[in-house]
């Protein structure tokens, strides 16, 4: 593969790395197909979001430091997760300030604007919407909250999906409403979380789609967990998997 | 249903005495406003019960969707909405950053125009002042304009304890009061009731405290409103004292502003001889011109209207016109404490529009009562733990009563970053617990694992062994994962993690792994 594109450090995210490796794998496949050189800095672990959002800021600060140490040397850092990128771009500076380490604050402010969610990178940096994907299935897209309201990715994922050959892309009713995952909210407020997820799953089923796609496997594990429990016949895929899908190597 | 205190389980605390009603033969029973929110269980516990209330679920889903739609339409037609939000936030921040200055200016201008200003450190002091003012005027009843501040300090309960009837005149507040219920929404306190329930409450309760509802009352909105109007009319015409809050208090003119829809506020603000306004200290605006911003932001965010039907402004006393005895009680009640927190103080920008409630998926399902306060929803989840501290079960749980979806921040007309405040307060709750919980131990263990990628890799090896043993089977129950697995399948761990795959397909040298960080010239490096 000739690579004339930029070198990209992939931030796999701990959740994808451990539980949903298909998403970062598809991200690598896609970015390499688009001419990028992808590197995986092995020392990476976690952005710290679970700690931050549960109130464990002191536990999150070392992970912010680690994130900077691992990624500050790269011009482009890309993650297949709106939520983790949201935490990096929206919360790392706050955590660095809490640590009282001025050097860390500066390093975070310098690095985090370069950390992009996959659709941001492909559309804004690579300038592509047609990524040469093929996926002949009925699909509906859930715009996850952090992609939508923290990162403001807007319609970038939909612009990418619309160009996928063979896709039957249908609108999800009440798409912008939260699915109810919310990290530890899913277990701390399990009843409310399930009530929200059930409504989301109902809207997904209303579309008649066979695949629910989103840019975050955390939300998908929640909605998909409900859809699976219902034996709904709907599967979930990460956006990267559909964009990486080809006739030769289907998702 | 009788309204005698004994029937409601509360000890008779005041001298009920002869009522001021149109039925002088019988002593009027004392209105009992509501149960207090004291001793509320955690949000999780209260929400679990509320989620099972199918009538409330249906009412809330319908009502919030309607208001959401109206708000979205009228906000979309303002091109400079974002600029208005920024200006609104700036006006409130200006006040919060120089609060003593603006409060003194407000007091000076109010006093110069004939009003009497009282200062109250907390709810008890505010209630004592108001009860004292009413008693000094030999009044045994007050008519009330809808006011969050008086609900916060539980003024009705204090008045009732002193034998003074506090008549709520806002239609929804009347429904809540007659139903011996608690408000569940800032703007629409009876949002959890539908019109069939309202009809039943009116038929059962109105006669106990004044003019009864017509026997043939139907649940048509017009008939219900007519019944309320007739019931309230005699109270408006009779009362010597009115109690209000204020949406805004303008420092440079001494003008108080009440924004409302029904006109009941206008009745209370103009007819009685004495007007007592209980105002939180954060309600101050620097200048009259700031109303230009606020009166565009508030109605559109609140009721989803371009402008509300009634906007009343009064500046002290006008001879021969309206109340001649005007009092303003400026209440702190925890606000100085909130102000001391440089992050948390943004919550004091709140103009009580309730847009955040209407867009909140958690509020829509759990309802307002689960928040254990007159301030429910996202703003309540940040305001209550700050005003009351995080000592109680409910206040400890409120910062967690959110999925952090961010819809509240997006809707807030004064740009309060509620998700960021929630995270800030979660940290406060955890810090106060000083690491003495199972959760804290788990978090510390996880943080240890994530501190070094080799520890993470070791943990992942255990997970993938499990994944290989499980194969592709769907997991439907896992010991210890009950909260997740009760309604959701559990993802099966993969047979190979991403980093194992990377090493297999790209090798160790393709990235900057443990041996590759020596500056071998990877062209993506910025340094």
């Amino acid at each position: 593969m000739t690579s004339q594109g930029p070198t990209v450090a992939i931030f796999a995210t701990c959740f994808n790395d451990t539980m949903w490796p298909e998403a970062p794998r598809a991200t690598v496949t896609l970015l390499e197909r688009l001419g990028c050189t992808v590197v995986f800095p092995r020392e990476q672990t976690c952005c710290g979001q679970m700690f931050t959002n549960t109130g464990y800021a002191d536990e999150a600060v070392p992970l912010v430091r680690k994130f900077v140490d691992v990624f500050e040397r790269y011009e482009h850092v890309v993650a297949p997760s709106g939520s983790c990128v949201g935490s990096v771009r929206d919360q790392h500076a706050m955590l660095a300030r809490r640590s009282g380490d001025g050097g860390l604050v500066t390093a975070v402010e310098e690095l985090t604007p370069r950390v992009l969610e996959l659709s941001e990178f492909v559309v804004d940096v690579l300038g592509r919407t047609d990524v040469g994907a093929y996926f002949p299935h009925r699909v509906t897209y859930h715009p996850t909250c952090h992609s939508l309201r923290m990162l403001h990715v807007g319609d970038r994922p939909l612009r990418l999906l619309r160009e996928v050959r063979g896709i039957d892309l249908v609108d999800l009713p009440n798409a912008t409403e939260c699915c109810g995952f919310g990290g530890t909210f899913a277990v701390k407020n399990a009843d409310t979380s399930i009530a929200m997820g059930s409504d989301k799953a109902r809207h997904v089923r209303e579309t008649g789609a066979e695949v629910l796609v989103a840019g975050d496997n955390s939300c998908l594990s929640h909605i998909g967990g409900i859809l699976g429990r219902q034996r709904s016949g709907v599967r979930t895929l990460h956006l990267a998997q559909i964009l990486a899908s080809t006739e030769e190597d289907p998702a | 249903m009788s309204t005698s205190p004994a029937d409601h389980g509360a000890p008779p605390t005041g001298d009920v005495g002869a009522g001021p009603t149109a039925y002088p033969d019988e002593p009027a029973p004392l209105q009992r406003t509501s149960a207090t929110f004291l001793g509320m269980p955690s949000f999780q516990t209260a929400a679990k019960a509320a989620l099972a209330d199918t009538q409330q679920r249906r009412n809330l889903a319908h009502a919030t969707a309607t208001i959401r739609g109206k708000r979205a339409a009228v906000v979309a037609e303002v091109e400079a909405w974002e600029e208005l939000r920024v200006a609104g936030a700036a006006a409130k921040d200006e006040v919060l950053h120089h609060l003593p200055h603006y409060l003194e200016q407000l007091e000076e201008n109010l006093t110069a125009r004939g009003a009497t200003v009282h200062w109250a450190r907390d709810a008890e002091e505010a209630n004592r002042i108001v009860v004292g003012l009413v008693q000094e005027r030999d009044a045994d009843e007050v008519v009330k304009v809808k006011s969050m501040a008086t609900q916060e300090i539980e003024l009705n309960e204090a008045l009732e304890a002193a034998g003074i009837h506090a008549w709520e005149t806002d239609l929804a507040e009347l429904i809540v009061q007659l139903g011996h219920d608690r408000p569940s929404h800032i703007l629409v306190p009876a949002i959890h009731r539908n019109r069939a329930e309202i009809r039943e409450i009116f038929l059962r309760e109105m006669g106990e405290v004044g003019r009864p509802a017509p026997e043939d009352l139907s649940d048509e909105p017009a008939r219900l409103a007519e019944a309320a109007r007739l019931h309230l009319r005699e109270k408006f015409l009779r009362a010597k004292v009115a109690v209000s809050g204020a949406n805004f208090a303008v420092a440079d003119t001494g003008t108080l502003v009440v924004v409302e829809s029904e006109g009941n506020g206008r009745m209370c603000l103009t007819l009685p001889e004495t007007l007592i306004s209980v105002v939180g200290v954060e309600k101050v605006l620097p200048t009259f011109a700031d109303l230009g911003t606020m009166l565009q932001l508030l109605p559109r965010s609140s009721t989803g209207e371009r402008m509300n039907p009634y906007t009343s402004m009064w500046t002290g006393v006008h001879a021969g016109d309206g109340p001649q005895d005007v009092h303003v009680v400026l209440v702190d009640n925890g606000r100085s404490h909130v102000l001391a927190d440089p992050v948390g103080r943004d919550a004091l920008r709140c103009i009580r529009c309730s847009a955040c409630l209407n867009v909140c998926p958690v509020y829509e399902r759990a309802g307002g009562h689960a928040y254990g306060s007159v301030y429910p929803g996202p703003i309540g989840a940040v305001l209550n733990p700050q005003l009351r501290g995080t000592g109680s079960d409910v206040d400890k749980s409120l910062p967690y009563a959110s999925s952090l979806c961010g819809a509240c921040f997006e809707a807030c007309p004064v740009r309060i970053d509620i998700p960021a405040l929630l995270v800030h307060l979660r940290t406060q709750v955890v810090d106060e617990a000083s690491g003495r919980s199972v959760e804290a131990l788990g978090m510390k263990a996880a943080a240890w694992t994530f501190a070094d990628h080799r520890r993470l890799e070791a943990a992942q090896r255990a997970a993938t062994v499990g994944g290989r043993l499980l194969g592709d089977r769907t997991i439907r129950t896992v010991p210890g994962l009950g909260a997740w697995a009760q309604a959701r399948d559990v993802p099966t761990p993969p047979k190979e993690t991403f980093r194992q795959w990377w090493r297999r397909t790209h090798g160790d040298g393709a990235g900057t792994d443990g041996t590759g960080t020596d500056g071998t010239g990877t062209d993506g490096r910025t340094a």
Side-chain angles (χ1 to χ4, degrees):
Chain A
M1 169 83 52
T2 54
S3 74
Q4 289 155 348
T7 294
V8 180
I10 183 170
F11 172 41
T13 77
C14 65
F15 188 60
N16 280 320
D17 179 9
T18 309
M19 292 304 295
W20 304 96
E22 299 86 353
R25 277 167 56 175
T27 304
V28 172
T29 305
L30 172 69
L31 292 178
E32 287 181 344
R33 192 172 78 214
L34 297 175
C36 301
T37 301
V38 181
V39 295
F40 172 70
R42 186 182 155 188
E43 301 89 334
Q44 64 179 273
T45 58
C46 167
C47 67
Q49 181 175 203
M50 176 185 75
F51 303 96
T52 314
N53 284 350
T54 313
Y56 292 83
D58 289 341
E59 278 69 25
V61 169
L63 297 174
V64 173
R65 205 177 299 277
K66 187 173 185 60
F67 188 88
V68 168
D69 288 345
V70 171
F71 288 109
E72 65 183 348
R73 65 188 67 125
Y74 298 101
E75 192 175 336
H76 302 289
V77 182
V78 174
S81 165
S83 190
C84 301
V85 172
S87 183
V88 168
R89 291 225 299 258
D90 237 54
Q91 296 181 319
H92 275 199
M94 174 271 288
L95 292 162
R97 282 194 296 276
R98 179 180 164 103
S99 76
D101 178 347
L104 184 61
V105 175
T106 310
V108 163
E109 283 170 355
E110 205 271 324
L111 165 65
T112 55
R114 303 201 302 272
V115 182
L116 301 182
E117 181 272 338
L118 178 63
S119 74
E120 293 180 310
F121 181 76
V122 173
V123 174
D124 297 350
V125 178
L126 300 182
R128 299 281 295 267
T129 49
D130 182 352
V131 296
Y134 172 71
F135 192 73
H137 300 281
R138 189 172 174 94
V139 174
T140 194
Y141 169 72
H142 169 57
T144 58
C145 298
H146 290 178
S147 295
L148 197 68
R149 286 180 281 262
M150 259 177 142
L151 300 179
H152 302 285
V153 303
D155 65 350
R156 288 178 186 82
L158 285 170
R159 284 160 65 194
L160 290 163
L161 287 169
R162 282 188 203 116
E163 301 280 350
V164 171
R165 202 156 49 85
I167 199 167
D168 175 15
L169 186 64
V170 286
D171 285 341
L172 177 66
N174 287 25
T176 59
E177 185 169 283
C178 179
C179 71
F181 171 67
T184 49
F185 176 80
V187 286
K188 277 181 178 286
N189 281 283
D191 296 288
T192 308
S193 169
I194 291 163
M196 291 162 69
S198 302
D199 286 340
K200 181 60 73 179
R202 175 167 54 84
H203 290 310
V204 170
R205 298 187 70 173
E206 280 164 16
T207 66
E210 64 188 279
V211 177
L212 170 68
V213 62
D216 253 302
N217 270 323
S218 46
C219 311
L220 286 178
S221 67
H222 165 72
I223 313 169
I226 292 170
L227 289 168
R229 185 61 58 91
Q230 296 174 346
R231 320 301 196 267
S232 64
V234 183
R235 65 180 168 137
T236 58
L237 284 176
H238 190 280
L239 176 66
Q241 291 171 273
I242 291 184
L243 298 182
S245 177
T246 57
E247 228 165 313
E248 298 73 35
D249 188 12
Chain B
M1 182 172 182
S2 159
T3 53
S4 78
D7 283 352
H8 294 288
T13 45
D15 178 12
V16 174
T21 69
Y23 311 94
D25 295 345
E26 295 171 42
L30 194 63
Q31 177 64 277
R32 184 167 175 279
T33 292
S34 61
T36 68
F37 284 107
L38 269 177
M40 279 287 293
S42 71
F43 179 83
Q44 290 89 322
T45 308
K48 196 182 170 100
L51 288 166
D53 183 342
T54 52
Q55 179 72 68
Q56 174 169 294
R57 290 284 295 276
R58 160 79 194 146
N59 294 354
L60 280 170
H62 176 73
T64 56
T66 305
I67 306 179
R68 272 202 301 274
K70 285 176 69 182
R71 178 199 161 273
V74 296
V75 164
E77 66 186 22
V78 181
E79 247 177 68
W81 184 253
E82 192 54 33
E83 284 88 335
L84 275 176
R85 289 177 82 208
V86 170
K92 293 299 269 189
D93 281 351
E94 168 65 21
V95 162
L96 295 175
H97 294 158
H98 308 96
L99 191 56
H101 165 74
Y102 286 111
L103 283 173
E104 281 167 20
Q105 193 187 2
L106 176 69
E107 179 185 34
E108 202 176 298
N109 284 318
L110 279 167
T111 309
R113 284 158 182 81
T116 308
V117 175
H118 310 260
W119 298 88
R121 191 173 287 114
D122 54 23
E124 200 191 328
E125 221 169 83
N127 288 333
R128 202 162 54 230
I129 291 165
V130 177
V131 170
L133 287 169
V134 178
Q135 285 173 335
E136 281 164 28
R137 279 147 192 82
D138 285 328
D140 61 359
E141 64 174 343
V142 301
V143 282
K144 286 193 70 212
V145 186
K146 175 168 167 40
S147 144
M148 295 310 297
T150 60
Q151 287 188 7
E152 175 191 325
I153 64 173
E154 298 184 350
L155 176 64
N156 288 10
E157 290 81 348
L159 289 167
E160 287 159 13
I164 299 162
H165 304 258
W167 309 119
E168 293 290 350
T169 66
D170 172 85
L171 177 55
E173 293 290 2
L174 176 69
I175 295 163
V176 169
Q177 189 180 40
L178 288 173
H180 311 287
D181 196 1
R182 288 169 301 187
S184 72
H185 189 283
I186 291 173
L187 171 76
V188 201
I191 196 167
H192 56 291
R193 299 288 196 188
N194 64 14
R195 50 196 183 142
E197 293 173 290
I198 294 166
R199 174 183 165 273
E200 290 162 26
I201 291 169
F202 279 10
L203 279 173
R204 193 177 64 225
E205 301 288 345
M206 274 183 169
E208 301 286 332
V209 289
R211 177 169 175 151
E215 272 171 35
D216 65 343
L217 183 66
S218 74
D219 65 1
E220 291 163 64
R223 292 290 316 277
L224 294 171
E226 182 194 25
R229 203 160 38 233
L230 293 171
H231 177 78
L232 290 170
R233 178 83 27 170
E234 61 183 20
K235 296 179 175 19
F236 286 133
L237 295 175
R238 194 177 57 211
K240 302 269 183 285
V241 180
V243 173
S244 82
N247 292 97
F248 307 104
V250 181
D252 75 342
T253 57
T255 306
L256 297 194
V257 184
V258 161
V259 171
E260 49 139 354
S261 297
E262 297 166 13
N264 64 299
R266 179 70 57 80
M267 301 282 267
C268 295
L269 297 169
T270 51
L271 288 174
E273 290 155 23
T274 298
L275 173 58
I276 305 168
S277 303
V278 179
V279 183
V281 290
E282 86 287 10
K283 291 283 157 192
V284 189
L285 282 182
T287 68
F288 198 82
D290 289 318
L291 289 175
T293 306
M294 292 302 179
L295 292 178
Q296 290 181 78
L297 288 170
L298 180 53
R300 288 179 197 261
S301 301
S302 188
T303 49
E305 294 167 303
R306 291 173 178 154
M307 192 63 204
N308 51 290
Y310 293 88
T311 301
S312 301
M313 303 189 189
W314 67 105
T315 306
V317 176
H318 276 253
D321 182 13
Q324 299 299 295
D325 180 27
V326 172
H327 295 263
V328 180
V329 185
L330 294 169
V331 186
D332 186 307
N333 203 33
R335 285 157 177 76
S336 294
H337 176 72
V338 182
L339 197 58
D341 180 342
V343 178
R345 70 167 62 130
D346 284 2
L348 293 181
R349 288 184 198 151
C350 176
I351 55 174
R352 313 286 189 259
C353 72
S354 64
C356 64
L357 279 62
N358 300 328
V359 299
C360 179
V362 174
Y363 173 85
E364 179 184 329
R365 288 166 182 82
H369 293 155
Y371 294 81
S373 161
V374 297
Y375 302 118
I379 189 63
V382 294
L383 206 50
N384 298 313
Q386 293 198 85
L387 289 172
R388 309 190 295 208
T390 41
S392 71
D393 282 350
V394 65
D395 287 318
K396 265 200 262 288
S397 69
L398 283 179
Y400 294 93
S402 165
S403 63
L404 304 178
C405 83
C408 47
F409 179 30
E410 203 174 57
C412 178
V414 286
R415 290 188 53 88
I416 303 170
D417 188 347
I418 294 176
L421 294 193
L422 288 165
V423 169
H424 175 70
L425 289 166
R426 290 176 185 188
T427 309
Q428 186 182 315
V429 170
V430 167
D431 288 352
E432 283 170 2
S434 338
R436 290 186 303 266
S437 68
V438 176
E439 178 189 274
L441 292 174
M443 286 290 176
K444 280 185 190 9
W448 181 86
T449 307
F450 286 130
D452 186 315
H453 66 281
R454 284 162 297 201
R455 294 178 195 155
L456 174 61
E457 286 165 10
Q460 286 177 334
R461 276 194 292 277
T464 50
V465 167
R468 280 183 223 112
L469 289 173
L470 286 161
D472 292 325
R473 282 179 296 166
T474 301
I475 311 178
R476 298 229 143 91
T477 57
V478 179
L481 279 182
W484 178 275
Q486 59 176 309
R488 294 164 284 210
D489 287 347
V490 181
T492 317
K495 296 180 183 70
E496 183 181 52
T497 65
F498 172 73
R499 61 181 70 220
Q500 288 163 354
W501 171 84
W502 178 271
R503 184 180 292 202
R504 184 165 62 75
T505 57
H506 289 69
D508 268 349
T512 51
D513 64 6
T515 56
T517 52
D518 55 358
T520 46
T522 311
D523 53 1
R525 297 181 181 186
T526 54

